[in-house]
Amino acid sequence: MPRVFRLLREEIGLAVVLVVIAGGILAFLRLADTVVEGETEAFDRAVLLLFRNPADLAQAPGPAWLAGVMRDITALGGLAVLTLIVAVTTFYLVLVGKRAAALFVLAAVAGGTVLSHGLKMLFDRPRPDLIPNAPLELTASFPSGHAMISAVTYLTLGVLLTRLDAPRRVHAYFLVVAVVMTVLIGISRVYLGVHWPTDVLAGWCLGSAWALFCWLVALWLQRRGQIERSGDRA
């Protein structure tokens, strides 16, 4: 009976993950459609201006140090920082003999990065032009690369850390940290005025869906013995 309950729980969990993936993709497609049609302009401007001083759009509300904190947070979703994190994780997995897991991390993050840049070129949405002193960004706006790639990276690593031999509360902690990091990075992009809110929402939706999809692929490969099983932990 315990085996039956375990299998039933796994099947229910798989169904929930599939629903979340489908929901993320559908939400992204819906956002993309409304953005292309120009239906989000009023919403985007209203939310973006919430993070500005009405008397001077160059100034953000809050204490003077908050802008510096937001720049530090947004750097956590930058290509350089994420590349370093993935590189360190990959080398660690190789050193402990988890080469298949290392390849999985590389493939998941690289795939999400390529997808993000491809979508940016496809939609070619201009960056917000409301904030006078916003940092210069050279890529298109939709979807937010910081939001999407940080979701892919941190959620993938969060799931990877749940393979450690630790109590469930520790596994939950890893996943919560991954989600909080992703959310804070997305908020920082809007705060700094370099993304429309719908850019960030789209990045979250598709990044989360991609990370969960990669997790399902890894689970399938694990059951085929092509990726180290949960019992073979570092």
Side-chain angles (χ1 to χ4, degrees):
M1 289 300 291
R3 177 179 172 79
V4 173
F5 286 130
R6 181 175 62 82
L7 291 175
L8 180 61
R9 183 177 61 189
E10 289 180 354
E11 293 301 322
I12 293 175
L14 179 60
V16 170
V17 171
L18 289 173
V19 169
V20 174
I21 292 175
I25 295 173
L26 290 175
F28 172 81
L29 294 175
R30 175 59 179 166
L31 281 169
D33 181 62
T34 55
V35 165
V36 170
E37 296 296 328
E39 298 175 6
T40 64
E41 183 176 352
F43 168 80
D44 278 326
R45 293 176 67 91
V47 174
L48 192 61
L49 291 176
L50 288 176
F51 292 88
R52 296 287 112 187
N53 184 343
D56 183 5
L57 295 182
Q59 294 183 353
W65 52 262
L66 185 57
V69 170
M70 286 297 179
R71 285 192 294 269
D72 291 341
I73 290 175
T74 207
L76 296 175
L79 185 60
V81 173
L82 293 180
T83 299
L84 286 172
I85 291 174
V86 172
V88 170
T89 303
T90 301
F91 280 120
Y92 166 75
L93 291 172
V94 170
L95 288 173
V96 297
K98 307 294 185 181
R99 295 179 180 177
L103 183 60
F104 159 70
V105 172
L106 281 177
V109 177
T113 302
V114 171
L115 179 61
S116 172
H117 285 290
L119 290 171
K120 281 178 176 288
M121 291 188 290
L122 175 65
F123 291 101
D124 196 26
R125 187 186 195 187
R127 294 276 179 167
D129 57 358
L130 300 180
I131 313 305
N133 61 346
L136 177 64
E137 298 286 349
L138 302 178
T139 58
S141 192
F142 185 90
S144 167
H146 276 66
M148 180 174 173
I149 302 173
S150 65
V152 172
T153 303
Y154 290 119
L155 291 177
T156 297
L157 296 181
V159 170
L160 190 66
L161 287 171
T162 62
R163 290 162 53 88
L164 295 175
D165 190 9
R168 289 184 180 274
R169 64 179 180 273
V170 176
H171 295 171
Y173 171 76
F174 289 143
L175 293 177
V176 168
V177 169
V179 171
V180 170
M181 292 280 287
T182 301
V183 170
L184 288 178
I185 290 168
I187 292 174
S188 73
R189 302 304 283 167
V190 179
Y191 181 92
L192 294 174
V194 295
H195 270 298
W196 302 106
T198 46
D199 298 336
V200 172
L201 291 174
W204 283 340
C205 291
L206 197 56
S208 300
W210 177 261
L212 288 174
F213 169 75
C214 291
W215 175 77
L216 286 182
V217 172
L219 184 62
W220 178 71
L221 291 174
Q222 184 184 84
R223 289 178 175 177
R224 289 170 57 90
Q226 297 180 18
I227 289 183
E228 297 81 2
R229 295 182 178 276
S230 298
D232 304 327
R233 289 163 176 158

